[in-house]
Amino acid sequence: MIIDDVINNISSLKGYSLIEKIDKGYSPDEKYIVTIGQTKYFIRLSDMKYHEKRKIEFSLLRELEKQGVQTHKAIEYKSDANLSVMLLSYIEGTPADEIIKNLSDMEQFTIGLAAGKELRKVHQLQAPHPMNWEAAQRKKFNYYLSEYQKDRFKIPQEQKILDFINHNFHLLKDRPVTLLHDDFHLGHIIIFNRDFNGVIDFNGFDFGDPYHDFYNLSLFSRRLSIPYCIGQINGYFSTSPDDTFWRIFALYAAMNIFSTIVWTKQYDPSSFDDALERIHLIIQDHDDFTSAKPLWYKAL
């Protein structure tokens, strides 16, 4: 089914004048911007095997709108034998990872503040069912550690990192479980007129410890903008984060070192050198994991 046929079956899109395909991202979905007059809409086409998850995502977007989260508004959802079709409002602007270095430190910090406040709203949605977060994370980490150990490549600081993980893993016991964006980074923060204009791409949503949504600060955002990272943390918390937050923050950063190595080698080997550069930054930021609070963080 071509995009024109899909659009012609959506009553909200009668009289469209322009269709633009979006190729950015790892998602298997097809994404388009459709313009009617002066208004743009966002369309996501998914294989029917993702139907249930997309249907839940659509309902979650409606719940997020009630929470006042600045993200896509859910307009219409349709499915047939071949495709699920999600029609959403379009958020004007540019992904922050493309332009944040062109902004002043204060502008970067202010965007981080706004993003942190939005993330706090996201985490107001509770998980529909209870879960044992600690056990789920243990299973996931053991898998990645096992895959990492099968390979000849080793990080020199491996034992220090594993010691830190083993010493702090108990902190995941009885953590609150909420909705997670689960891919919250600068590529999904939209900037318009040098200011925050929304967060996008909830298609990888999950449920779990809200602090888990901070792991991308270490893995991606920190390298692009420290002021943004400080802003996101300060915007999320009404007071300075406590020691428990920092230890859990560092725990997720440490665990992600192994999953990043395994995932990159399996799915994106051409970017392995880049992944190693990010990993070395994480290790430096935590002083070989003798420090839970990263060296780049300071209250502004």
Side-chain angles (χ1 to χ4, degrees):
M1 181 181 288
I2 60 173
I3 183 62
D4 300 82
D5 294 334
V6 171
I7 292 173
N8 288 332
N9 283 323
I10 300 176
S11 57
S12 308
L13 296 180
K14 298 299 181 189
Y16 67 90
S17 57
L18 184 64
I19 304 171
E20 303 167 73
K21 188 171 184 181
I22 302 172
D23 291 317
K24 190 177 179 182
Y26 288 96
S27 169
D29 295 353
E30 288 190 20
K31 296 167 285 187
Y32 298 87
I33 301 169
V34 179
T35 303
I36 302 176
Q38 300 299 311
T39 305
K40 292 181 179 179
Y41 297 88
F42 180 78
I43 290 186
R44 181 184 286 276
L45 308 182
S46 307
D47 188 278
M48 276 303 289
K49 65 183 178 183
Y50 301 111
H51 166 62
E52 285 305 320
K53 182 155 191 181
R54 292 292 172 265
K55 194 174 177 182
I56 295 169
E57 178 188 349
F58 187 80
S59 65
L60 285 172
L61 286 173
R62 291 201 156 160
E63 291 301 313
L64 289 171
E65 184 177 355
K66 294 175 186 175
Q67 294 291 334
V69 177
Q70 254 183 282
T71 188
H72 298 290
K73 287 181 170 54
I75 299 171
E76 191 172 342
Y77 182 84
K78 300 184 74 168
S79 63
D80 58 27
N82 303 308
L83 283 174
S84 75
V85 181
M86 196 183 298
L87 175 64
L88 310 172
S89 66
Y90 176 73
I91 298 176
E92 194 70 48
T94 305
D97 61 343
E98 297 179 16
I99 60 171
I100 198 152
K101 288 186 174 181
N102 300 332
L103 306 178
S104 70
D105 284 358
M106 186 50 67
E107 286 173 320
Q108 294 176 38
F109 174 73
T110 302
I111 289 165
L113 277 177
K117 290 174 182 175
E118 294 303 300
L119 186 58
R120 187 84 184 192
K121 295 177 194 172
V122 171
H123 294 158
Q124 299 309 303
L125 293 186
Q126 301 300 305
H129 307 290
M131 68 179 292
N132 188 329
W133 175 252
E134 181 188 22
Q137 286 299 291
R138 175 62 74 184
K139 181 179 180 182
K140 180 179 175 182
F141 176 68
N142 285 345
Y143 164 76
Y144 280 114
L145 181 60
S146 173
E147 292 298 303
Y148 164 83
Q149 289 171 335
K150 291 176 186 175
D151 196 89
R152 287 188 298 176
F153 175 82
K154 294 290 177 282
I155 322 167
Q157 301 89 342
E158 174 187 313
Q159 195 55 52
K160 290 181 180 178
I161 300 168
L162 287 173
D163 288 346
F164 182 87
I165 291 170
N166 290 329
H167 183 69
N168 288 282
F169 210 96
H170 70 279
L171 295 172
L172 302 188
K173 183 177 176 62
D174 298 326
R175 290 293 301 153
V177 177
T178 69
L179 174 65
L180 302 179
H181 181 284
D182 215 34
D183 203 13
F184 200 84
H185 60 72
L186 284 165
H188 294 148
I189 301 297
I190 300 299
I191 296 176
F192 185 63
N193 288 336
R194 306 177 75 88
D195 204 357
F196 176 86
N197 199 38
V199 55
I200 62 169
D201 221 341
F202 278 85
N203 71 292
F205 76 88
D206 205 346
F207 294 95
D209 174 12
Y211 288 177
H212 191 262
D213 257 340
F214 285 87
Y215 78 88
N216 275 319
L217 289 186
S218 294
L219 198 56
F220 294 112
S221 303
R222 170 262 184 270
R223 187 169 64 168
L224 290 174
S225 171
I226 287 174
Y228 167 85
C229 294
I230 296 171
Q232 183 183 312
I233 291 169
N234 289 8
Y236 187 89
F237 293 98
S238 54
T239 58
S240 295
D242 60 16
D243 180 63
T244 299
F245 168 76
W246 288 121
R247 288 168 67 195
I248 293 175
F249 176 90
L251 175 61
Y252 290 138
M255 291 163 64
N256 270 290
I257 287 171
F258 298 101
S259 57
T260 296
I261 289 170
V262 171
W263 188 93
T264 307
K265 283 205 161 199
Q266 286 183 354
Y267 298 106
D268 195 9
S270 64
S271 71
F272 189 66
D273 287 345
D274 179 76
L276 274 187
E277 183 181 305
R278 289 184 278 114
I279 285 168
H280 288 145
L281 265 182
I282 292 171
I283 295 169
Q284 289 171 23
D285 287 342
H286 290 279
D287 198 11
D288 289 355
F289 283 89
T290 60
S291 172
K293 185 186 293 188
L295 301 176
W296 49 258
Y297 180 83
K298 57 184 181 297
L300 292 181

